[in-house]
Amino acid sequence: MKNHWVLSECPHYESDQINEKLKFAYWEGHRDFAYDLLNFVNPKKIVELGSQYGCSLFAFCQSVKDNGLKTQINAVDYWKGDIGAENTGEEVYEIVKQTIKKFFRDVDINLYQMDFDSALDSFEDSSIDILHIDGGHRYEDVEHDLNSWISKLKENGIILFHDVFSHIDSGSCEHWEQTKKKYPALYFEFRHSCGLGILFPKGNYWYENMISEGFMDKYYPVYYYRSLYKYTKRRFEELEGLYRERYETIIGQSKMITERDTVIASQKALIDEKDKGICSQSQMIEERDVVIASQKVLIDEKDEGIQNQSKMIEERDVVIASQKALIDEKDKGIQNQSQMIEERDAVIASQKALIDEKDEGIQNQSQMIDERDAVIISQKALIDEKDEGIQNQSQMIDERDAVIISQKALIDEKDEGIQNQSQMINERDAVIASQKALIDEKDEGIQNQSQMIDERDAVIISQKALIDEKDEGIQNQSQMINERDAVIASQKALIDEKDEGIQNQSQMIDERDAVIISQKALIDEKDEGIQNQSKMIEERDTLISDQERIIVEQAEKLEYLNQLVQEVNRHKIISRLIFHKKG
């Protein structure tokens, strides 16, 4: 009985529920063909060399399950994971076993977790109806697998080669080109989904049946366009979900951007207020700087005045020191003069004592001559008066001398009898005259010394008054300096307070500057994030535009495909009618 090719109506692959990535696997574009191939051939045994996640394996299983076939399916693989795969090793193997347990419990499936050569002994020669080679993709790997397993293939058996038009596996592509040369007119191929080569190395039975069913004319294009349609549709669904997700993300980001814009606006307002406060503080600082500068000028002027006063005080100290030296010299001269005066007073005292002695002698002589001459007694009294006035005034001595001279003349006239004593009186008068001259000289010396002492006292008094004035001036200057020092100290304390306030303000400004810098950095980061988001949105918009263009193109192809399917169905109906009429 001749088999007929039945074009399935988009089979539902249950394995995708556990592993959605099978929808986008490289083998996915050939699942519908494999599904219908098994239904057409109804094989007893299938062996798959290289299964991994099971995209092809579960397509075979789905066809066996849906079409009620009695096919044994055998898969050989280490299940160690492909390069770049999310899961590797036992994780992949567990996913495969979980899928079988959940959906294909009633299908006859055998998993051989080993290398391909080790599995050879598990299969008899000429026992395999369909052999699927999808292991190593180097030329020598594919060649080795073909040579090792071709003996296990039945007569008229079919071999499927994957990755025969792969952009990443040149070895398997080259091997397929060489294989086609060995078996001309016993193969056909699909170029989509990395390519699938269908080889009939041990007989053309199934190849001729497929040709007679019009496979190449009616069905071959359908699998290509259906694969393209399903891939495009799934990509479109994926992109639609991605677009929806990105749209929601963009909405959320827009909301976040709006919220951030509000925060940035509030922060900007706060920054503006702080800038305004900083400006006012800066103005206050500038005003205070002006005050401080004026105070500094005033302090500099006062410092200059203090320096001038200090210089004047130093000059005055020099003058005072020189005056003090001069006064010390004068005091020393006065002391010397006082010593000289004391010495002279001693001489005068000794002379006075001598004069007193002489006066006493004169008094004795006057007593001796009282008897002789009453005039002498009066002269003695006059001499006594003169001696008494010697200490006070020289004028009295002159008057006495005049009286003595006049009395002497009178005595000479009155007493001619005293000739013997006249000589003695003359000698005494000579002595008195000499003493008088000596006393006059001493009185003159005393007067000169007194005048010198009075002049020096006047100089000392004037110098003392000058020194008192200078001391008073120095005290006034010291008081003024102390007052100015107090003012300077208060100004310094005020300046220190202002400096401390300025430092505090500077610290506050530095802190605010740090906050502003951090906020600016945050704003820059947000601006950069917004720019990146805008760039991403533009890229996504570009991608969406490209996808929309592709969707339009695919829609046109889908329309063409629908027309082609309708044409195939029409031919199919016609063929069935013809077959029915022939029957």
Side-chain angles (χ1 to χ4, degrees):
M1 181 178 177
K2 185 179 178 181
N3 295 2
H4 298 284
W5 190 274
V6 178
L7 184 66
S8 59
E9 297 293 337
C10 297
H12 174 65
Y13 299 102
E14 297 173 302
S15 58
D16 295 352
Q17 298 178 32
I18 292 179
N19 187 1
E20 290 187 354
K21 292 184 179 179
L22 295 177
K23 296 178 181 179
F24 305 100
Y26 290 138
W27 226 94
E28 193 281 332
H30 306 297
R31 287 199 294 185
D32 288 358
F33 167 74
Y35 183 93
D36 291 342
L37 178 65
L38 264 66
N39 188 34
F40 179 68
V41 175
N42 190 13
K44 299 300 181 183
K45 183 179 292 185
I46 296 175
V47 174
E48 179 173 76
L49 302 180
S51 183
Q52 188 57 17
Y53 281 99
C55 183
S56 56
L57 171 65
F58 296 131
F60 299 149
C61 294
Q62 196 70 53
S63 180
V64 170
K65 179 181 178 180
D66 293 348
N67 296 310
L69 305 179
K70 302 299 181 181
T71 305
Q72 182 190 80
I73 300 174
N74 303 276
V76 184
D77 202 321
Y78 268 124
W79 283 282
K80 288 185 177 180
D82 287 341
I83 296 174
E86 181 178 355
N87 300 308
T88 59
E90 293 300 323
E91 294 178 350
V92 178
Y93 191 49
E94 288 300 321
I95 293 173
V96 171
K97 290 195 295 183
Q98 181 184 355
T99 305
I100 293 172
K101 183 178 179 181
K102 184 172 182 180
F103 299 113
F104 307 112
R105 187 186 300 271
D106 297 330
V107 177
D108 186 5
I109 303 175
N110 298 308
L111 303 179
Y112 295 87
Q113 194 174 15
M114 60 184 67
D115 63 80
F116 301 160
D117 290 348
S118 298
L120 282 168
D121 294 338
S122 300
F123 301 93
E124 296 179 357
D125 290 344
S126 301
S127 63
I128 300 173
D129 294 290
I130 297 177
L131 175 66
H132 175 213
I133 298 177
D134 191 13
H137 295 88
R138 296 183 304 170
Y139 182 93
E140 54 270 24
D141 293 336
V142 181
E143 180 69 12
H144 175 78
D145 293 340
L146 176 60
N147 293 333
S148 299
W149 286 85
I150 195 168
S151 63
K152 305 296 181 180
L153 190 67
K154 281 183 179 180
E155 184 179 358
N156 295 315
I158 302 171
I159 302 178
L160 305 179
F161 294 91
H162 191 231
D163 292 307
V164 295
F165 290 97
S166 173
H167 61 284
I168 58 175
D169 298 311
S170 60
S172 57
C173 298
E174 183 181 355
H175 184 273
W176 176 244
E177 293 298 323
Q178 297 299 323
T179 301
K180 289 190 294 183
K181 293 178 182 180
K182 292 180 182 179
Y183 301 98
L186 291 174
Y187 72 89
F188 64 88
E189 61 192 11
F190 292 102
R191 293 177 175 269
H192 64 278
S193 297
C194 293
L196 183 69
I198 300 92
L199 185 67
F200 307 91
K202 289 189 175 183
N204 61 355
Y205 175 80
W206 293 112
Y207 178 78
E208 293 296 337
N209 272 273
M210 293 175 68
I211 296 299
S212 66
E213 286 291 307
F215 176 83
M216 298 304 296
D217 296 329
K218 295 187 293 184
Y219 305 114
Y220 178 85
V222 174
Y223 292 110
Y224 168 72
Y225 286 111
R226 180 185 285 184
S227 171
L228 184 60
Y229 168 74
K230 289 171 67 176
Y231 177 80
T232 304
K233 181 181 178 183
R234 286 166 183 166
R235 282 296 181 188
F236 177 78
E237 291 173 353
E238 182 187 23
L239 291 172
E240 185 180 17
L242 182 62
Y243 175 80
R244 187 181 297 106
E245 180 183 352
R246 289 178 178 175
Y247 178 76
E248 292 174 356
T249 302
I250 291 168
I251 295 299
Q253 288 176 343
S254 299
K255 186 177 180 181
M256 290 174 63
I257 290 168
T258 303
E259 293 174 354
R260 289 177 182 174
D261 288 340
T262 303
V263 173
I264 291 168
S266 62
Q267 288 180 343
K268 185 176 183 300
L270 181 61
I271 291 168
D272 291 339
E273 291 178 1
K274 291 182 179 179
D275 288 339
K276 187 176 180 181
I278 291 168
C279 290
S280 62
Q281 287 181 345
S282 298
Q283 186 177 359
M284 292 173 64
I285 291 168
E286 289 175 358
E287 293 174 355
R288 291 177 182 173
D289 288 339
V290 172
V291 174
I292 291 167
S294 62
Q295 288 181 344
K296 186 177 183 299
V297 172
L298 182 61
I299 290 168
D300 292 338
E301 291 176 355
K302 291 181 179 179
D303 288 338
E304 185 178 359
I306 291 167
Q307 289 177 357
N308 294 332
Q309 288 178 348
S310 299
K311 187 175 181 181
M312 290 172 65
I313 290 168
E314 290 175 357
E315 292 175 353
R316 290 176 182 175
D317 287 339
V318 172
V319 174
I320 291 168
S322 63
Q323 288 179 347
K324 185 175 182 300
L326 182 61
I327 290 168
D328 291 338
E329 291 178 359
K330 290 180 179 180
D331 287 339
K332 187 175 180 181
I334 291 168
Q335 288 177 357
N336 292 331
Q337 288 178 350
S338 297
Q339 186 176 359
M340 289 172 65
I341 290 168
E342 288 176 356
E343 290 175 354
R344 289 175 183 175
D345 288 339
V347 172
I348 291 169
S350 63
Q351 288 177 351
K352 186 176 181 298
L354 181 60
I355 291 169
D356 289 341
E357 288 177 359
K358 290 179 179 180
D359 286 340
E360 186 178 358
I362 290 168
Q363 288 176 359
N364 292 330
Q365 287 177 354
S366 295
Q367 187 177 1
M368 288 173 65
I369 64 175
D370 281 341
E371 296 176 353
R372 293 179 180 177
D373 193 7
V375 176
I376 293 173
I377 293 171
S378 61
Q379 287 181 343
K380 184 179 180 299
L382 185 59
I383 290 169
D384 291 335
E385 291 177 0
K386 180 197 69 173
D387 289 336
E388 184 178 357
I390 287 173
Q391 297 178 356
N392 299 320
Q393 296 177 352
S394 60
Q395 186 178 358
M396 293 175 65
I397 294 171
D398 293 337
E399 290 176 354
R400 184 199 64 179
D401 289 337
V403 172
I404 290 171
I405 292 169
S406 62
Q407 287 181 349
K408 184 179 180 295
L410 182 60
I411 289 168
D412 288 336
E413 291 175 356
K414 291 181 176 181
D415 191 5
E416 293 177 354
I418 311 173
Q419 292 180 354
N420 293 331
Q421 290 183 349
S422 296
Q423 187 177 356
M424 293 175 65
I425 291 168
N426 290 332
E427 292 174 356
R428 183 201 62 183
D429 289 335
V431 172
I432 290 169
S434 63
Q435 289 179 345
K436 180 180 179 296
L438 182 60
I439 290 167
D440 292 335
E441 289 176 0
K442 290 181 179 180
D443 289 337
E444 186 178 359
I446 290 167
Q447 287 177 358
N448 292 332
Q449 287 180 347
S450 298
Q451 185 176 0
M452 289 174 65
I453 290 167
D454 292 335
E455 290 174 357
R456 289 174 181 175
D457 288 337
V459 172
I460 290 167
I461 290 168
S462 63
Q463 288 180 343
K464 185 177 183 299
L466 181 61
I467 291 167
D468 291 336
E469 290 177 0
K470 291 179 178 179
D471 289 337
E472 185 177 358
I474 290 168
Q475 289 177 356
N476 292 331
Q477 287 180 347
S478 297
Q479 185 176 358
M480 289 173 67
I481 290 168
N482 292 332
E483 291 175 355
R484 290 174 182 174
D485 287 338
V487 172
I488 291 167
S490 64
Q491 287 180 344
K492 186 177 183 298
L494 182 60
I495 291 168
D496 291 338
E497 290 178 359
K498 291 179 179 179
D499 288 339
E500 184 177 359
I502 291 167
Q503 289 176 355
N504 294 331
Q505 287 180 345
S506 298
Q507 186 177 359
M508 291 172 65
I509 290 167
D510 292 338
E511 292 174 355
R512 290 176 181 174
D513 288 339
V515 172
I516 291 166
I517 290 168
S518 63
Q519 287 179 343
K520 186 177 183 299
L522 182 61
I523 291 167
D524 291 339
E525 290 177 0
K526 292 179 179 178
D527 288 339
E528 185 177 358
I530 291 167
Q531 290 176 356
N532 293 332
Q533 288 177 347
S534 299
K535 187 176 180 181
M536 289 174 63
I537 290 167
E538 290 175 359
E539 292 175 352
R540 290 172 182 174
D541 288 341
T542 303
L543 181 61
I544 290 166
S545 298
D546 294 338
Q547 294 300 329
E548 288 176 349
R549 179 178 55 79
I550 293 171
I551 289 167
V552 171
E553 293 176 356
Q554 296 302 326
E556 293 176 353
K557 292 180 180 179
L558 180 61
E559 185 178 357
Y560 171 74
L561 181 62
N562 288 332
Q563 292 176 358
L564 184 61
V565 170
Q566 290 175 4
E567 183 67 21
V568 169
N569 289 333
R570 188 175 64 81
H571 284 294
K572 183 178 178 181
I573 293 169
I574 293 170
S575 298
R576 286 180 180 178
L577 289 173
I578 293 171
F579 179 76
H580 180 70
K581 286 180 179 181
K582 288 181 179 180

